[in-house]
Amino acid sequence: MTAETTSGSSPLGAWTARLAELAPAVRVTERPFLTQLTLRVRDAQAQAAIGPALGVELPSTPCSFTRGTGPHGELEVLWLGPDEYLVLARPGVQQSLEDAIRAALGDAAGAVVDVSAQRTTLALSGPRVRDVLAHGCAIDLHPSAAPTGTCVQTLLAQAGIVLLVSDAGRDEFTLLVRSSFASYLAAWLIDASVEYRMVPA
Amino acid sequence: MTANFRLPVGGRVNRDEALRFSLDGRPMLGYRGDTLASALLANGVHQVATSIKYGRPRGIMAAGVEDASALVQIEEPFPEPMMSATTVELYDGLIARGLPGQGRLADRPDPARYDAKHVHCDVVVVGAGPAGLVAALTSARSGARVVLVDDQNQAGGALLGSDEYFDDLGSPAAWVHEVLAELRATPGVLVLERTTAFGAYDDGFLLALQRRTDHLGAAAPKDVARQRIWRIRAKQTVIATGAHERPVVFADNDRPGIMLAGAARTYLHRYGVLPGRRIVVFTTNDSAYTAAIELAETGVDVPMLLDARAVPPEGLVAECAARGIEVRAGHAVTGTEGREHITDVHIAPLAGTGHPDTIMCDTLLVSGGWNPVVHLFSQLRGALRYAPELGAFVPGEELPDVQVVGSAAGALDLASCVRQGGEAGRAASEAAGFTRPAPVPLPTSDARVAEAAAMVLWQVPEGAEPTADTRFVDLQRDATVSDVLRATGAGLRSLEHIKRYTTIGTAHDQGKTSGMIAAGIVAEALGVKIAEQRPTTFRPPYTSVPFAALAGRDRGELHDPVRITAMHSWHVAQGALFEDVGQWKRPWYYPRPGEDMADAVLRECRAARESVALMDGSTLGKIDVQGQDSGEFLDMLYTNMMSNLKVGRIRYGVMCGVDGMVIDDGTVIRLAEDRFLVTTTTGNAAKILEWMEEWLQTEWPHLRVFLTSVTEHWATVPLVGPRSRDVLASLAPELDVSNEAFGFMSWRDTVLDVTGGVAARVCRISFSGELAYEINVNAWHGRALWEALMAAGEPYGITPYGTETMHVLRAEKGYPIIGQDTDGTVTPQDLGMSWAVSKKKPDFIGKRSFARSENNRPDRKQLVGLLPANPATVLPEGAQIIESAHLPEPPVRMLGHVTSSYASAALDRGFALAVVRSGRDRIGETLYVPVADDVVPVTVTDSVLFDKEGTRRDG
């Protein structure tokens, strides 16, 4: 059973206004209700077969993600482990996307799981976004070390996150956080931005 | 006494900005740019405190972190203990008190903000003295990302204490200014002032404390972090931390007015402050001559310089003579006079001709040589080597990706320091991949260079051992030469042991001035070479770090992440009280106005048993198990068989460790031939997923099984009670909820009549013994589902319940909570769950242990129920169980303990679960539970106390 779900209450729905106040130093917006599927596949042939079904190749480089457009619209495939990927797509395509991946997977060992509500997604940008992240994230986010296409699993403060460098040149990041930690993370982001709100860049 | 020791001009203080401060109630004025110590000296105040053990007056002996004696308690603007007057930047309104050793923490919460920040770089340079500045600029010009860390409020290091003609620019300050301006203008360079690198760790990880607004006092902006911990990760590390001057030990060497010679230069040049009016200098090396000459040039009376060396440096002696300073070679200070301040020094020849003498003075400057600041190198486990020409330890080996340069490496002249800095900067940036560093022209100066070798002198020899020893080695610990000799006399040889025996080097300054001297005296006493002695190990932190800074923003609501479910805001709005389960906030109970916890829980229990109730079960761990070999995998993990579970059905399962002890339990539902969903207890979710992954990845990698946590994808609501079927039916028009169509331990997918149709998975499982459904929906719809259930259940008085009621309901049925009724020593058999242990499976985790004789002892502790003789009694959980009605003399034989205990609405009495030796054989017996001064009789029963026949399960 996979619900075609595009609405409801998102984990940070109640935080929209408070997060918006961080602009222009940092712009934080939730991208709620995205389709998110965990994909597990080891076999190289099966991995290769899934790319065409999605319209984008699975990332082959650790700690990276790929982006493209296919039958299910624009989507991103995140490398989370040697045989583990997270597929991000527009809201409401859980079932059709899962079906397409399963078809491409065939008999190969693997798994597809709808985890759309497991994490929520935040878009972060702005001139001080790297500063704010640096208060809680040990990863080097300098464009030379984390170019566009970087995808890491790490901690932001005390919450586990998946962090994507969406556009290094434009200071754009995408952050995924477990739903239960989302309020903590929002509170932390607001707190960490205090100095930068006072003194705009 | 009002005195003004401030020069009319000179120094880096702003004479236009006067700052009010006080020490021990005495109001004084200083300037912006002063430290507390320099401002005190400008007011003629040397004594800051009295010593911890002997109450002797103690003053300012240094100008930096190495000072061992000038400790203060800051009272205003916010109490802070154990601050060194030599490192506190002066601000308006500072109120301080001299400290005899111990300080006092504030009795109110610190209102200041503290935070932390990560920074990455190619090259980190610690120390912005001449070596560090050249290293940083050389790296920066190569294009490398550079972080320059310096603990002072301005760069320059030792140059701040000098004013020689420098380079083509004239003064050291001008050169520093120029270098710093270029560094600041270079992209990718971060200059951190007022920042102490206090810990060096593996792989280029460095911790530093930045004091960002301390110097603003009460005027510090509230929203700016007062202090920040920098977590620096560098590919290359350049340590340019300089050197600390070392005193020489002699009798009464602790009086206020006795100061290191280099510190006096710093007070003169950096702060425009004279340490006194009549100054005697005692040295073992050339460096203190400069202090004597410069002070004499300012008009201070410097009658005499004592050089311990028999042959003093000719050129410097001539310079002294030209300024009226008498140099006495081969002489040493043998004692001093004075109370709050030194008044006289006693001198004597160290050997050969001459006679003892006494000289009047108000200041005695001492130099016993220089100790390279090797702390960070030693923290990195770099071996130290004794350099006999310095009388100090220097880096004794090469460490990968680490360079030590300048005075920290033992170089004591400017030319060597800047040359080493340039070489290190180039080498570091090349190693980090920047191949074309632009060279930095090295500055030159007309500073006096050493003419003659230094003499290493730890202490001025004494004829006879004094009765009351005043030859202080560690001023802060009041530890003397006699204390060192007592340690060696007691047979101690290791410096580590002697450090602990004497406490030398264990105070706030960590022996920056005393450690080397103690090592020297020990070597002399034992007749061994220092080079053969292993030096004590330097450990972080280099200087003290406030706990508030380490805590940073992890305070209040950010102290520990609070995990909440999709329905959390509803629970809050309904006035629920919450229980912490791991990081989760779970509703504990929902009191109505006027209810206490007992009332609320009884009401919630009654609703579940008599009508319908619901709880938020979303925190339950949920793991998707997928792949062709999933059944085989689960057969190995659970004690019972899972591979024969039919699609659409649910089975309760128990998991054991390799020792056969229960580690978790939960339900397993079969979604498809190759797919299961297993649940874990809330607190164990992450641990069990790791446990499963560990077996899968390390023992059975051949299995085609994939595990995915879906805990937070689902919102889960157990709907419980005889009317639960009615409530579900009203929301699930497509679902046949009859017992025949939808039996116990099976699941169905359906669409609920919630906000236009929400897909749900409904499981018929029960943790209460009542007819119950566990409804799972995508968490985005959790709140809507909850509200729909509340509305649909209104005709039946549907009641939300919390974890406490859940615990009571399950305990009445004898269902154990893993981790509450078990403690890692309990087997499934002990819980009366032999039925859940497969006899057919060839193997599973824990199986082998079930055959051990220990596991089959008849007197193992087994889960049973207890009914107190008085129905009103609710036993305390954890209470011990004994055999006799009276508490015998110890040792008392304990039969077991109470694991769960509640008042039951259904039983109309108190009851408990307990683990008891041979418990099942004791059913019907009376045992006893000591509670405070009473011994409560209890009847042992089966662990299932309510609805033994299970008649309520199907409604």
Side-chain angles (χ1 to χ4, degrees), chain B residues 723-738:
Chain B
R723 309 308 296 264
S724 59
R725 181 174 285 140
D726 302 314
V727 176
L728 177 63
S730 71
L731 282 183
E734 296 167 15
L735 187 65
D736 182 348
V737 296
S738 68

Side-chain angles (χ1 to χ4, degrees), chain A residues 1 131 134-135 180 191 195, chain B residues 116-117 212 225 553 712 749:
Chain A
M1 179 205 68
D131 279 311
H135 283 288
S180 68
D191 180 79
E195 281 191 24
Chain B
K117 199 170 181 184
R212 301 173 76 224
R553 301 306 305 144
E712 295 171 52
D749 281 351

Side-chain angles (χ1 to χ4, degrees), chain A:
Chain A
M1 179 205 68
T2 303
E4 298 279 354
T5 301
T6 58
S7 64
S9 309
S10 66
L12 291 179
W15 290 81
T16 309
R18 274 172 287 175
L19 291 171
E21 286 171 14
L22 305 184
V26 195
R27 284 183 295 277
V28 183
T29 45
E30 188 183 20
R31 295 168 62 198
F33 312 124
L34 293 185
T35 296
Q36 300 189 24
L37 300 182
T38 289
L39 164 62
R40 304 290 302 271
V41 54
R42 285 178 202 154
D43 179 64
Q45 275 191 326
Q47 287 173 352
I50 292 170
L54 295 176
V56 53
E57 293 300 312
L58 301 187
S60 52
T61 310
C63 299
S64 71
F65 72 95
T66 52
R67 182 155 46 189
T69 306
H72 299 86
E74 198 176 321
L75 45 80
E76 290 158 333
V77 186
L78 284 49
W79 186 98
L80 296 188
D83 65 358
E84 182 175 356
Y85 308 88
L86 186 69
V87 183
L88 297 190
R90 66 166 192 258
V93 297
Q94 284 92 342
Q95 191 61 59
S96 53
L97 194 55
E98 179 172 343
D99 293 345
I101 296 173
R102 284 196 185 281
L105 196 55
D107 291 334
V112 187
V113 187
D114 178 11
V115 290
S116 300
Q118 175 85 348
R119 302 179 183 90
T120 194
T121 309
L122 293 173
L124 285 83
S125 63
R128 307 313 294 267
V129 63
R130 281 192 181 81
D131 279 311
V132 171
L133 291 174
H135 283 288
C137 177
I139 301 284
D140 186 359
L141 297 177
H142 190 270
S144 65
T148 302
T150 301
C151 167
V152 290
Q153 295 182 78
T154 182
L155 285 175
L156 184 57
Q158 299 178 68
I161 59 163
V162 182
L163 185 66
L164 281 63
V165 183
S166 304
D167 190 325
R170 298 173 61 184
D171 304 325
E172 290 176 2
F173 296 84
T174 303
L175 183 158
L176 291 93
V177 61
R178 299 269 288 250
S179 301
S180 68
F181 285 96
S183 291
Y184 162 81
L185 195 90
W188 185 89
L189 279 172
I190 289 167
D191 180 79
S193 301
V194 162
E195 281 191 24
Y196 307 108
R197 292 168 70 183
M198 289 187 359
V199 192

Side-chain angles (χ1 to χ4, degrees), chain B residues 600-623:
Chain B
V601 171
L602 285 174
R603 173 178 52 76
E604 291 172 13
C605 286
R606 214 172 285 123
R609 294 262 183 245
E610 294 171 8
S611 183
V612 61
L614 81 175
M615 85 173 298
D616 185 351
S618 305
T619 62
L620 214 64
K622 305 169 201 80
I623 300 166

Side-chain angles (χ1 to χ4, degrees), chain B residues 56-57 59 252-258 336-339 341-342:
Chain B
R56 290 170 67 95
D252 293 316
N253 60 338
D254 62 329
R255 295 193 200 286
I258 302 176
T336 67
E337 299 293 336
R339 283 191 55 79
H341 206 119
I342 185 170

